[in-house]
Amino acid sequence: MKTTDVLIIGAGIAGAAAALELARNPRRHITLLTRESDPCESNTRYAQGGIIARGPDDSADLLVRDILAAGAGASSPRAAQILAEEGPRLLEEVLIRTARVEFDRTPDGDLAYGKEAAHSRHRILHVGDGTGRAIISAMMEAIRQRPNIEVMTGLTAVDLITSPHHSHNPLAAYEPVVCHGAYVFERKRRTVHRTLATFTILATGGLGRLYRNTTNPPGARGDGLAMAHRAGARIVNAEYIQFHPTALAVPGAEGFLISEAVRGEGGILLTPEGRPFMHKYAPEWKDLAPRDVVARAIHAEMEEHGYSHVLLDIASRLKPDVIRSRFPNIYAECLRVGVDITREPIPVVPAAHYSCGGVLTDEWGRASIANLYAVGEVACTGLHGANRLASTSLLEGLVWGVRAARDIEARLNNDPAIIRPPAGDIPPWDESGLTEDSDPALIQGDMQTIQNIMWHYVGLIRSGDRLSRAIRELRHLQNEIETFYRATKLSDGLIGLRNAVEAALIIAQAARHNRQSRGCHYRVDSVAVGERLL
């Protein structure tokens, strides 16, 4: 058993920001867990386009306006205001001064601000097309220099420890639900141990791997959402799954993100025959329309004409040396699979990219369960509403990671009654009666079934019939998986499968419940008057 002041589950920008802020007090002990062997491996690492700052002709009010417009009327004005006012200062304080991230600069040495879809100003800072990789690498280097942050890799959280659910004390049943840490599976030794914490921060990222086509890495399977749901946390806006319009559609590189910054730099979407088409769907914004509009436009063109993909042309818009300098990773990856983006257009398709909803939090990251926080993509601060504005995700993770840490520090200082429960009150993990070994083939087969159900029935285009069928099939699959889980020795794959089917059901049920099309939730059988659809 392990004890700590703060347990952070997940090591992307949100978890890392919380850890760095908490570590400012040398008396605090922070435990940062990740299921990966490399602590830099997370959704953050794959963020290409950039992070919002404040451009030279920009203001907080302008950014708020753009966030609310992209969110299709469902974004929290308060959350947008917090991000717009605090984000640029925290970017300077944490990323530039503390982590020393080297953002791209102009020939004069000034920060280079890019522009992306649905932004009214140039305000995006970037490091080539590998911004997320540069940020998380720098943050992890800063974390390694903090002796009171313990980074533990190769560990998968199984379930949150909550009272009264996990308490031996029968009188705890009359008390509010409180989080006391998590049961953690050590992948190398295949054992489960208790990690007790005064406060727990969920920073587990997204759930794109629930879909057949996604830009997300393998770990994005809804672990945090499912754990929080089982513990009784309130989940909101789960139906709002953002599909990125442009993922590479070439064998051997499926799902590789072609950043929105490519269109921000002038890239044009074309049919396979070479005809532009975005003017038909968004006359004002054209190729820089919000992501939901662009993704559905591509989907419509593919369905109507039977295309397997469309094309994204940057070769005719920028000089080859500029393309190679601005998009070195995209250039290298495309070249690896036979596409020279300085000479020819890029084959692309839409792919599941970002979960706009999640574990409901207040403005300090507090979830509805006492002593539990959620930050980053697993959380729903209300910022993204029904459709996330480009490049807000990294900044949201930074801002709410810091805010959660500051709230925890204040509570630890001001409320001495907040203590960890005695170890004897929390039972150890019970593995008695587990006789079966997990079969990777069965796990992979069930995961592919979930991905296909979600792609076809809970994807870009939804209907009541599709959603009802998805729920029926997912419920049946969940029963089978839960029976298997109760008799099988744990593995990371089995934990992920159990979480994936639960997260998929949460999304499908929320989508069926919401009969109004809005943002990235599009139902063909119930279209709201005046909503932006295609």
Side-chain angles (χ1 to χ4, degrees), residues 41-73:
E41 177 65 17
S42 66
N43 268 10
T44 296
R45 186 177 191 167
Y46 295 87
Q48 295 178 355
I51 183 170
I52 291 173
R54 185 165 294 155
D57 60 346
D58 201 5
S59 70
D61 288 342
L62 285 172
L63 177 55
V64 169
R65 187 186 68 186
D66 290 349
I67 291 170
L68 298 183

Side-chain angles (χ1 to χ4, degrees), residues 414-432:
N414 299 329
D415 191 351
I418 299 177
I419 58 173
R420 291 189 292 272
D425 283 356
I426 305 298
W429 188 259
D430 184 7
E431 295 182 289
S432 61

Side-chain angles (χ1 to χ4, degrees), residues 80-148:
Q81 198 71 41
I82 288 171
L83 184 92
E85 291 178 353
E86 298 184 12
R89 175 177 51 80
L90 289 176
L91 187 152
E92 170 73 27
E93 178 185 323
V94 179
L95 298 187
I96 295 178
R97 278 192 259 150
T98 300
R100 301 186 182 278
V101 178
E102 296 287 343
F103 290 106
D104 291 346
R105 294 182 177 269
T106 67
D108 296 330
D110 299 323
L111 289 168
Y113 295 94
K115 184 179 180 182
E116 294 187 1
H119 285 273
S120 60
R121 295 291 186 273
H122 286 76
R123 57 165 70 103
I124 313 301
L125 293 184
H126 47 79
V127 182
D129 58 352
T131 307
R133 181 188 297 268
I135 286 174
I136 200 59
S137 296
M139 293 183 84
M140 280 300 155
E141 181 57 36
I143 282 172
R144 280 190 281 269
Q145 297 170 18
R146 271 61 173 181
N148 55 337

Side-chain angles (χ1 to χ4, degrees), residues 8 47 78 82 180 331 337 341 393 434 446 458 483 495 497:
I8 303 174
R78 175 61 180 154
I82 288 171
H180 298 299
Y331 171 75
V337 292
I341 67 173
S393 57
L434 301 182
D446 283 348
V458 199
T483 300
I495 295 167
L497 178 65

Side-chain angles (χ1 to χ4, degrees), residues 393-460:
S393 57
L394 291 176
L395 191 62
E396 182 196 35
L398 174 65
V399 169
W400 267 270
V402 171
R403 287 179 70 85
R406 289 178 177 174
D407 191 62
I408 288 171
E409 180 64 25
R411 293 176 70 188
L412 286 169
N413 285 328
N414 299 329
D415 191 351
I418 299 177
I419 58 173
R420 291 189 292 272
D425 283 356
I426 305 298
W429 188 259
D430 184 7
E431 295 182 289
S432 61
L434 301 182
T435 58
E436 302 293 329
D437 285 321
S438 57
D439 185 339
L442 292 176
I443 292 172
Q444 184 180 9
D446 283 348
M447 185 64 83
Q448 288 174 345
T449 299
I450 294 168
Q451 291 167 339
N452 283 323
I453 291 171
M454 294 298 287
W455 183 255
H456 290 295
Y457 305 144
V458 199
L460 277 156

Side-chain angles (χ1 to χ4, degrees), residues 265-474:
E265 296 289 349
I268 300 294
L269 287 161
L270 307 170
T271 67
E273 296 86 10
R275 296 192 305 271
F277 59 84
M278 278 308 303
H279 63 281
K280 298 189 297 183
Y281 302 96
E284 179 184 357
W285 289 97
K286 297 184 178 67
D287 296 87
L288 291 179
R291 287 177 175 175
D292 62 314
V293 175
V294 179
R296 283 197 296 271
I298 294 172
H299 183 83
E301 288 290 314
M302 290 171 62
E303 279 204 333
E304 181 179 352
H305 302 289
Y307 302 144
S308 60
H309 61 268
V310 296
L311 300 173
L312 177 58
D313 174 33
I314 190 67
S316 67
R317 315 292 292 184
L318 295 177
K319 294 180 179 178
D321 58 335
V322 175
I323 293 173
R324 286 189 288 266
S325 173
R326 178 67 178 87
F327 304 110
N329 294 317
I330 294 175
Y331 171 75
E333 179 64 12
C334 288
L335 197 63
R336 183 184 70 82
V337 292
V339 178
D340 185 346
I341 67 173
T342 67
R343 297 174 177 270
E344 57 189 318
I346 310 165
V348 294
V349 294
H353 185 59
Y354 195 87
S355 171
C356 296
V359 180
L360 180 64
T361 71
D362 67 7
E363 63 186 51
W364 294 100
R366 298 185 189 185
S368 58
I369 293 174
N371 298 354
L372 176 67
Y373 290 71
V375 294
E377 190 173 350
V378 71
C380 181
T381 62
L383 177 72
H384 306 305
N387 190 42
R388 179 176 69 88
L389 180 67
S391 289
T392 50
S393 57
L394 291 176
L395 191 62
E396 182 196 35
L398 174 65
V399 169
W400 267 270
V402 171
R403 287 179 70 85
R406 289 178 177 174
D407 191 62
I408 288 171
E409 180 64 25
R411 293 176 70 188
L412 286 169
N413 285 328
N414 299 329
D415 191 351
I418 299 177
I419 58 173
R420 291 189 292 272
D425 283 356
I426 305 298
W429 188 259
D430 184 7
E431 295 182 289
S432 61
L434 301 182
T435 58
E436 302 293 329
D437 285 321
S438 57
D439 185 339
L442 292 176
I443 292 172
Q444 184 180 9
D446 283 348
M447 185 64 83
Q448 288 174 345
T449 299
I450 294 168
Q451 291 167 339
N452 283 323
I453 291 171
M454 294 298 287
W455 183 255
H456 290 295
Y457 305 144
V458 199
L460 277 156
I461 306 295
R462 300 167 177 177
S463 71
D465 289 342
R466 292 182 184 184
L467 294 168
S468 293
R469 180 166 179 178
I471 291 167
R472 285 196 305 272
E473 294 187 10
L474 288 169

